[in-house]
Amino acid sequence: MRKSSRSVTSNVGALQISSVRDGERGAQVVAGWPSWLASVAGEAINGWIPRKADSFERMEKIGQGTYSSVYKARDLETNKIVALKKVRFASKDPESVRFMAREIIILRRLDHPNVMKLEGLITSRVSGSMYLIFEYMEHDLSGLASTPGVNFSEAQIKCYMKQLLHGLEHCHSRGVLHRDIKGSNLLLDHNNNLKIGDFGLANFYGEHQKKQPLTSRVVTLWYRPPELLLGSTDYGVTVDLWSTGCILAELFNGKPIMPGRTEVEQLHKIFKLCGSPSEEYWKRTKLSHATVFKPQNPYKRCVAETFKSLPSSALALVEVLLAVEPDARGTTAHALQSEFFTTKPFASDTSSLPKYPFKKETDVKLREEEARRKKETSSKQNESKQVSRESKAVPAPDANAELLTSIQKRQGQHNKTSMSEKFNPNEDAAGFLIEPLKSGTGQNGYTRYGVSSGSSRSPHRKELRTQRSFVQRGAAQLTKFSNSVAARDASHFAIANPRWLEERYNNNNNGSQDDGDWSQRLLVKPKDSTKDKESILGHGEKTEKMNYSGPLVSSRGNLDEMLKEHEIQIQLAVRKARADKKTNRDDHGQTQAFLAANGR
Ligand SMILES: Nc1ncnc2c1ncn2[C@@H]1O[C@H](COP(=O)(O)OP(=O)(O)OP(=O)(O)O)[C@@H](O)[C@H]1O
């Protein structure tokens, strides 16, 4: 990034992005920045000048995120191939701009070979859009692991894990929590250098920050730690370590280890595998959902039995990272010192690993075609299903109305198309079969872990690959249960940009928490509140039913009862899915995943 002649030190450590003084703003606008950005998020651009769009040759689309579209491009000044991430936000809404800017501020704070480097920004005084410029990365870890014929050796897994932990160590040392660690956010270049990407959900934490509650609604579901599912708003680096443990086990296992479809099911999967927390923990903890989710009988931990085929040093590290109580997960430094990295086979050198052919562009095209095809089919189906869906949906509580307004702002409510573009329920993860792991022995005699080298892509890998961050995850999960559990539109509610809500909440509440914790309002509510429904519909969206993601559980009761209720809901959905399957062949994959995941 070129520096402006007037270099200003930016205090990117501040949680709140303060407005810049008029003089600074003026200088930034003169430097070419739009005033909507300079006026509310001057810190994000301090000392930089924007690049011009016409100094890049935009090539194909290579990624579609929840908040962004990513394009391959050529930098005409350097002739280098780069990735341009076009971020979605509403330039007329200062809060929306601030939140978009937070990703930039965080990225500018980081500087490490295993963290994606922000190389610059493209916008202009008259533009309403913003592109983030990154080094172009050929692969991501999930995509690579799902490639037919690609099986990782233990040394190779160590190589990737080591890089991930070094990158995370850097983030944590700079006071940054990533909060969305998963395979598709771990990017790899053609030399097998791994870089942590997508800081869209990241936030600052630590003692030097003003102590403010963080949102618990972050991290893609399958990688989300129990304390977040229990509603913690005071957490730290251990959330990233849990996700790291999930990835480590997954790389050996060949498929995601806890593919929950709802938050309740996710927590149940965690307790079944990792055991439920100790009595001590329940007593000590003030987590908002703890009373609701505490099981009557404790669950026994069975990580060792489940992953008995893992090398012992890998299993030992998985045991630590997947500790159900956060404090026992240690730190990135502890993990790097563990036997997993200090015993043979040692982590491969990146240069000794195979070079994999590019395939990102084809992947994106295939996924988009598939999504388009499904969308066409489903919009026809949705028309006929509308009545039953609405009648079974649980209305949202009053408290959600305010949040809904916020969400719409973040997503650019003035632009309805951007909303629907963002949310494509059919482009979801669960439409694929989960197959049993097949591992084998590679040419070098090492055990190769991961999927078998069949002629087609591994379905469960596809599932992993397309499991999106919080937003899309919500959409995907809920769509599966749209008729019996929650309405599809619930995801519009549940997909609030959590970091935006977090900040908004903090701004409005001066960081104080009360019994009406907003994250709890998102999850737990009484079942019969028609009034609530009225009130939420009264907030400008008369035609769209807004529901929420958590009505799988009653607000009072124990986990076992809830799970029973939950299971009934799932069975209803399974029956429904079976019926749909008969009537629509295009729903085939989705139904299969549903049945497979339920062991039916
Ligand atoms: N530097 C890069 N090089 C190549 N591809 C990239 C790069 N950065 C991102 N991508 C691709 O674009 C996709 C979306 O990017 P990113 O994850 O940053 O956006 P997002 O909107 O925050 O997505 P998500 O919904 O996963 O949170 C990634 O999954 C990846 O495949």
Side-chain angles (χ1 to χ4, degrees):
M1 184 76 192
R2 290 173 300 170
K3 302 261 180 201
S4 69
S5 51
R6 195 181 145 277
S7 182
V8 184
T9 315
S10 71
N11 174 21
V12 291
L15 183 65
Q16 304 287 329
I17 302 163
S18 54
S19 300
V20 289
R21 290 190 304 273
D22 283 352
E24 280 173 343
R25 180 174 47 184
Q28 285 172 340
V29 174
V30 170
W33 296 106
S35 57
W36 51 259
L37 180 61
S39 59
V40 299
E43 260 184 276
I45 51 176
N46 265 349
W48 281 18
I49 54 172
R51 292 287 309 271
K52 289 199 172 73
D54 62 10
S55 62
F56 292 85
E57 179 198 343
R58 201 165 92 169
M59 296 149 97
E60 57 272 56
K61 191 172 181 177
I62 50 172
Q64 175 68 62
T66 312
Y67 311 114
S68 68
S69 300
V70 182
Y71 300 89
K72 188 174 179 180
R74 183 186 306 281
D75 182 340
L76 297 172
E77 285 181 8
T78 61
N79 218 24
K80 221 178 96 180
I81 297 294
V82 294
L84 301 180
K85 177 171 171 173
K86 184 179 188 201
V87 283
R88 293 201 192 102
F89 62 96
S91 64
K92 290 197 177 100
D93 181 346
E95 281 187 71
S96 177
V97 173
R98 273 192 203 101
F99 281 91
M100 179 276 294
R102 188 163 77 181
E103 182 173 355
I104 298 172
I105 292 179
I106 287 174
L107 282 163
R108 287 186 65 178
R109 182 185 256 214
L110 303 170
D111 183 13
H112 188 273
N114 298 121
V115 174
M116 274 311 301
K117 183 148 189 60
L118 179 63
E119 296 186 342
L121 300 167
I122 303 174
T123 186
S124 73
R125 239 184 323 247
V126 290
S127 168
S129 64
M130 170 74 85
Y131 288 85
L132 276 56
I133 310 168
F134 295 104
E135 175 188 349
Y136 175 73
M137 304 292 278
E138 280 78 11
H139 302 281
D140 62 71
L141 196 56
S142 304
L144 194 57
S146 70
T147 306
V150 171
N151 291 305
F152 299 148
S153 68
E154 186 179 348
Q156 188 169 11
I157 293 175
K158 287 187 184 187
C159 170
Y160 295 139
M161 290 305 298
K162 199 170 170 181
Q163 296 186 71
L164 164 59
L165 283 161
H166 278 302
L168 264 186
E169 186 172 45
H170 176 74
C171 297
H172 295 168
S173 73
R174 299 270 166 114
V176 170
L177 299 179
H178 186 278
R179 305 197 301 182
D180 198 16
I181 294 294
K182 58 177 175 177
S184 58
N185 283 339
L186 304 178
L187 301 169
L188 293 162
D189 69 13
H190 57 280
N191 290 321
N192 284 291
N193 294 309
L194 179 149
K195 293 178 198 261
I196 302 172
D198 191 2
F199 283 76
L201 293 183
N203 201 356
F204 296 108
Y205 79 101
E207 283 152 26
H208 52 290
Q209 300 297 336
K210 217 164 82 187
K211 196 80 179 160
Q212 285 178 325
L214 299 164
T215 177
S216 58
R217 301 184 67 82
V218 281
V219 187
T220 300
L221 193 63
W222 299 352
Y223 305 89
R224 196 181 301 174
E227 64 273 22
L228 293 188
L229 291 159
L230 289 169
S232 174
T233 56
D234 174 21
Y235 52 84
V237 297
T238 48
V239 299
D240 289 338
L241 289 167
W242 174 274
S243 313
T244 303
C246 295
I247 291 171
L248 171 59
E250 179 177 327
L251 287 174
F252 282 104
N253 196 40
K255 60 181 179 182
I257 59 165
M258 291 181 278
R261 293 160 300 175
T262 64
E263 288 166 356
V264 178
E265 192 184 43
Q266 190 64 37
L267 197 58
H268 190 216
K269 280 188 186 298
I270 292 173
F271 286 174
K272 279 196 297 183
L273 177 68
C274 306
S276 47
S278 64
E279 273 304 316
E280 241 312 284
Y281 180 81
W282 291 113
K283 268 187 214 142
R284 201 173 59 230
T285 182
K286 293 188 182 68
L287 300 179
S288 55
H289 310 320
T291 46
V292 181
F293 286 108
K294 182 176 181 292
Q296 275 179 334
N297 300 310
Y299 285 74
K300 212 175 134 268
R301 186 175 176 87
C302 61
V303 172
E305 295 92 300
T306 309
F307 298 118
K308 56 179 182 288
S309 62
L310 261 64
S312 60
S313 67
L315 178 60
L317 183 55
V318 168
E319 288 273 20
V320 173
L321 296 174
L322 293 187
V324 76
E325 295 180 27
D327 292 347
R329 284 174 218 149
T331 61
T332 46
H334 288 138
L336 283 163
Q337 287 154 14
S338 74
E339 263 193 27
F340 182 58
F341 295 109
T342 56
T343 55
K344 283 185 180 171
F346 297 123
S348 305
D349 201 84
T350 48
S351 58
S352 71
L353 294 177
K355 291 200 188 308
Y356 299 105
F358 303 176
K359 59 175 190 52
K360 217 175 232 303
E361 294 79 1
T362 12
D363 267 11
V364 172
K365 274 196 191 114
L366 286 173
R367 278 206 303 272
E368 280 179 351
E369 272 163 29
E370 172 80 353
R372 225 186 344 263
R373 199 176 56 79
K374 279 192 179 174
K375 194 177 175 184
E376 277 167 20
T377 318
S378 122
S379 58
K380 281 181 203 139
Q381 284 177 341
N382 285 344
E383 281 165 25
S384 58
K385 285 178 188 167
Q386 197 93 30
V387 177
S388 63
R389 175 172 298 172
E390 285 173 4
S391 62
K392 285 177 186 167
V394 185
D398 247 349
N400 293 341
E402 184 206 334
L403 293 171
L404 169 60
T405 318
S406 309
I407 294 156
Q408 287 167 337
K409 272 195 191 171
R410 166 63 177 88
Q411 297 182 331
Q413 71 186 108
H414 320 289
N415 180 0
K416 284 255 156 54
T417 42
S418 82
M419 186 103 161
S420 56
E421 191 184 292
K422 200 186 273 283
F423 169 61
N424 181 354
N426 304 306
E427 212 184 84
D428 75 278
F432 304 94
L433 267 171
I434 295 178
E435 276 186 345
L437 165 75
K438 290 177 198 143
S439 58
T441 305
Q443 287 164 338
N444 57 5
Y446 290 128
T447 303
R448 316 294 299 194
Y449 296 91
V451 295
S452 62
S453 50
S455 56
S456 63
R457 267 177 99 82
S458 162
H460 60 249
R461 280 297 179 181
K462 264 188 185 171
E463 186 169 358
L464 165 70
R465 188 167 165 70
T466 49
Q467 228 230 354
R468 292 276 165 81
S469 304
F470 181 77
V471 171
Q472 226 114 351
R473 187 273 315 156
Q477 306 289 331
L478 291 164
T479 310
K480 301 286 136 244
F481 305 99
S482 58
N483 287 331
S484 60
V485 179
R488 181 186 117 169
D489 289 334
S491 47
H492 282 296
F493 177 75
I495 64 174
N497 181 344
R499 52 193 172 134
W500 187 54
L501 291 179
E502 183 172 78
E503 195 94 343
R504 192 184 168 90
Y505 174 80
N506 290 335
N507 288 341
N508 294 340
N509 292 275
N510 299 320
S512 65
Q513 272 184 275
D514 53 28
D515 291 336
D517 168 24
W518 60 269
S519 66
Q520 179 154 10
R521 280 185 237 145
L522 287 168
L523 270 174
V524 183
K525 65 163 298 295
K527 272 190 170 175
D528 291 307
S529 44
T530 329
K531 265 192 194 159
D532 293 339
K533 186 174 182 174
E534 294 300 325
S535 74
I536 199 149
L537 290 174
H539 279 257
E541 284 293 308
K542 291 207 187 300
T543 52
E544 218 177 13
K545 295 271 185 289
M546 299 303 293
N547 303 287
Y548 70 109
S549 69
L552 305 176
V553 298
S554 56
S555 56
R556 293 271 169 267
N558 62 51
L559 182 64
D560 299 326
E561 278 170 20
M562 275 184 265
L563 287 168
K564 219 190 275 170
E565 191 183 326
H566 188 223
E567 196 51 43
I568 292 169
Q569 305 271 25
I570 288 176
Q571 281 176 17
L572 283 170
V574 169
R575 267 182 230 140
K576 174 93 191 58
R578 278 187 180 140
D580 283 355
K581 188 184 166 195
K582 281 198 193 105
T583 52
N584 194 319
R585 281 172 59 218
D586 272 309
D587 253 349
H588 183 70
Q590 186 176 348
T591 311
Q592 286 302 310
F594 215 91
L595 298 174
N598 278 287
R600 280 157 222 278

